[in-house]
Amino acid sequence: MEQATAIPHVLIFPLPVQGHVTSMLKLAELLSLAGGGGIRVTFLNSDYNHTRLIQFSDAESRFRNYPAFQFKTIDDGLPMDQLTKGQKVSELVGAMGSKTRPVFKDSLVQMDPPVTCVIGDGALGFISEVSLELGIPNIRFRTISTCFFWINFWLPEIIQAGELPIQGEEDMDRMITKVPGTESFLRCRDLPAYCRGRSDEPTLLRIVRATRESSSPPYPLILNTFDELDGPILALVHHRLPKTYAIGPLHEHLRSRLHTTSYSSPSSSLWKEEASCLTWLDSQPLGSVLYVNFGSITMMRRDQAVEFWEGLINSKNRFLWVIRPGSVCFDEEMGCDNMPEELVEGVEKGNLKVLVGWAPQEEVLGHDAVGGFLTHSGWNSTLESIVAGVPMICWPFFADQQVNSRVVSEVLKLGLDMKDVCDRRVVERMVNELMVEKKEEFGRKAAEMARMAKESVKEGGSSYRDLELLIEDIKSQAQEVNGSKSNNSIS
Ligand code: UDP
């Protein structure tokens, strides 16, 4: 076994779904870059996702530039042939908790040189538990929005005050008052599905216990946000968890530290990116196109797809709709794709393009022709839209998306919230509001927030500062770990 030195060895372990892999791989590259070889980084990917990552992105060759970086893989516990592998997040989390956990523990014990810090996805509670069992310092990375993290933190108080669970057919616009900093905007309908209706109190409490956000002693936390975006709530989080590092937007942070002139940060795509939509965008007028994309997990019913289609057509705006294969017209019972005739692959007319596939999203959002984004409000997509200065129409699907859409519309005033509605008239009205009637108003706001996002990751910016702090702390943790190991003569 290699002699223990003070060189830190960080192990980064994301939940194996696109949004989590993307943001945590950006962090891995930032640490490899900023560490200048002075930080070893191991990125633990699921076998299934790793095959896709090296097939559809340049991650493998790119990371060869960092000699102190390595990929390792692990089984995610789901059968290999499962069609929707990774798209039913609760099944994935369950399988990993039971099957991946012991394998992870073994590989952590065997890692050489020993790991001095685990940066684990906060969505996988077992990562911090195993690290603690082995006495390895652990930092939780939450890829969700700060506001959603904070709401989960306060769930026990919301339940205790009787504001949850929601009782039967209630007024979903009822305000939730027990989460500090959100009293002016948080309604029942802005909570995730497990708080909205169907969940009874025991189910809710089980979720609260599983996340154990507020009852754990303070722990170090990484958030993909920046001071100017989430300032007031971030200050409250800091108060409870003083070692909180807000180092986002991570994709812009990486772009900035790489000094790249490209519109996008390096790819970590798990699908084949279709660049043809960029060529189509090249021929469209400035700011004229609404980009439509619902991310890597959202499933939509056939009738919902038709409502969107009709609303978009009736709005008479230009649009580019990217449809992930298998995501639209999914029939829960029959499990089949039954695409409406209108939405067949490659529909391309003067003012619209429908692409069944996967887009290079950062590049699309950075394209001059794009003037709006109809999104599911995933946190990465939201940050990518913010950095590109593109206003949003939000149609949230699950997890933090219900609250993200509320924050985008009501707090940041960067767009419109269409949650709980899927009606062609509403689609038409909102598209016109965003792209025509309030185009300038939203455009000004979005440009200002984009400017602040870019400033935050430059030298002197808040996210830049927090990343430097994180690196210092990782280095001093390594000194402590190695110090205590040599005292105990382990290495
Ligand atoms: N994405 C992409 N091309 C697509 C759709 C999505 O590159 O056609 C990327 C997008 O840029 C983002 C990620 O996939 O980085 C989706 O993460 P997000 O948190 O927005 O949503 P999720 O997919 O987790 O619901």
Side-chain angles (χ1 to χ4, degrees), residues 3 19 39 47 121 163 239 255 285 289 343 360 376 399 401 416 422 429:
Q3 192 65 28
I39 300 182
D47 295 315
D121 195 318
E163 292 192 334
H239 189 65
R255 230 177 57 85
V289 175
L343 277 75
H376 69 306
Q401 298 156 17
L416 303 165
C422 192
R429 176 169 57 73

Side-chain angles (χ1 to χ4, degrees), residues 18-19 293 295-297 322 358-359 361 376 378-381 384 401:
Q18 178 73 71
N293 195 319
S296 68
I297 295 169
V322 179
W358 185 257
Q361 180 160 299
H376 69 306
W379 190 236
N380 291 289
S381 296
E384 288 157 12
Q401 298 156 17

Side-chain angles (χ1 to χ4, degrees), residues 60-279:
E60 199 174 35
S61 58
R62 196 170 79 239
F63 275 96
R64 277 200 211 107
N65 295 326
Y66 306 111
F69 174 91
Q70 63 174 346
F71 280 113
K72 291 261 183 203
T73 61
I74 195 162
D75 186 7
D76 62 20
L78 288 177
M80 206 57 180
D81 58 353
Q82 196 168 308
L83 266 178
T84 53
K85 198 171 164 93
Q87 289 180 8
K88 291 207 168 154
V89 177
S90 54
E91 274 174 23
L92 181 61
V93 171
M96 292 190 79
S98 57
K99 299 199 179 132
T100 311
R101 179 185 178 131
V103 186
F104 169 60
K105 187 170 181 179
D106 287 349
S107 56
L108 199 51
V109 170
Q110 285 160 17
M111 204 74 75
D112 186 26
V115 170
T116 60
C117 172
V118 173
I119 299 184
D121 195 318
L124 293 172
F126 72 85
I127 302 179
S128 54
E129 288 165 11
V130 168
S131 315
L132 286 174
E133 279 164 34
L134 298 176
I136 304 173
N138 166 69
I139 303 177
R140 291 188 211 176
F141 186 129
R142 294 311 318 250
T143 61
I144 49 178
S145 66
T146 304
C147 190
F148 182 64
F149 169 79
W150 190 232
I151 291 167
N152 279 309
F153 202 94
W154 286 89
L155 268 185
E157 280 74 7
I158 307 179
I159 295 168
Q160 208 173 15
E163 292 192 334
L164 279 179
I166 292 165
Q167 311 288 336
E169 293 296 306
E170 261 208 73
D171 173 15
M172 293 297 281
D173 292 325
R174 172 165 65 80
M175 301 302 284
I176 297 288
T177 67
K178 292 294 164 199
V179 185
T182 68
E183 300 89 338
S184 63
F185 64 87
L186 190 66
R187 306 161 301 177
C188 290
R189 73 170 71 252
D190 305 315
L191 295 170
Y194 56 78
C195 298
R196 293 176 40 148
R198 293 179 298 278
S199 289
D200 53 11
E201 192 163 344
T203 311
L204 261 180
L205 286 171
R206 210 171 45 245
I207 290 167
V208 171
R209 269 197 297 277
T211 57
R212 278 194 294 270
E213 299 288 13
S214 53
S215 56
S216 340
Y219 51 85
L221 173 72
I222 296 172
L223 291 170
N224 190 4
T225 187
F226 56 104
D227 274 7
E228 293 73 11
L229 183 71
D230 272 319
I233 293 184
L234 206 45
L236 295 166
V237 175
H238 258 290
H239 189 65
R240 295 293 289 264
L241 304 174
K243 282 232 175 276
T244 294
Y245 311 90
I247 58 173
L250 275 160
H251 68 291
E252 181 60 18
H253 207 154
L254 181 57
R255 230 177 57 85
S256 164
R257 295 223 183 191
L258 284 169
H259 305 293
T260 174
T261 48
S262 145
Y263 272 129
S264 59
S265 63
S267 168
S268 44
S269 190
L270 303 177
W271 277 266
K272 184 177 181 303
E273 290 177 333
E274 309 270 354
S276 65
C277 54
L278 295 170
T279 318

Side-chain angles (χ1 to χ4, degrees), residues 300-314 321 328-329 338-343 422-425 427:
M300 188 183 286
R301 293 192 316 266
R302 186 180 201 281
D303 59 300
Q304 292 173 320
V306 171
E307 289 305 307
F308 274 116
W309 173 262
E310 294 293 336
L312 287 165
I313 293 284
N314 295 344
W321 186 352
V328 168
C329 314
N338 186 15
M339 201 73 115
E341 275 158 30
E342 302 90 332
L343 277 75
C422 192
D423 178 310
R424 63 190 69 188
R425 283 158 304 189
V427 175

Side-chain angles (χ1 to χ4, degrees), residues 17-20 22-23 26 143 267-269 271 273 291 293-298 322-324 355 357-362 365 373 375-384 397-398 400-401:
V17 296
Q18 178 73 71
H20 295 233
T22 291
S23 46
K26 309 263 181 246
T143 61
S267 168
S268 44
S269 190
W271 277 266
E273 290 177 333
Y291 169 55
N293 195 319
F294 300 102
S296 68
I297 295 169
T298 307
V322 179
I323 301 173
R324 193 182 77 252
L355 171 75
W358 185 257
Q361 180 160 299
E362 280 183 54
L365 285 168
F373 184 13
T375 171
H376 69 306
S377 296
W379 190 236
N380 291 289
S381 296
T382 304
L383 287 173
E384 288 157 12
F397 179 64
F398 87 132
D400 60 344
Q401 298 156 17

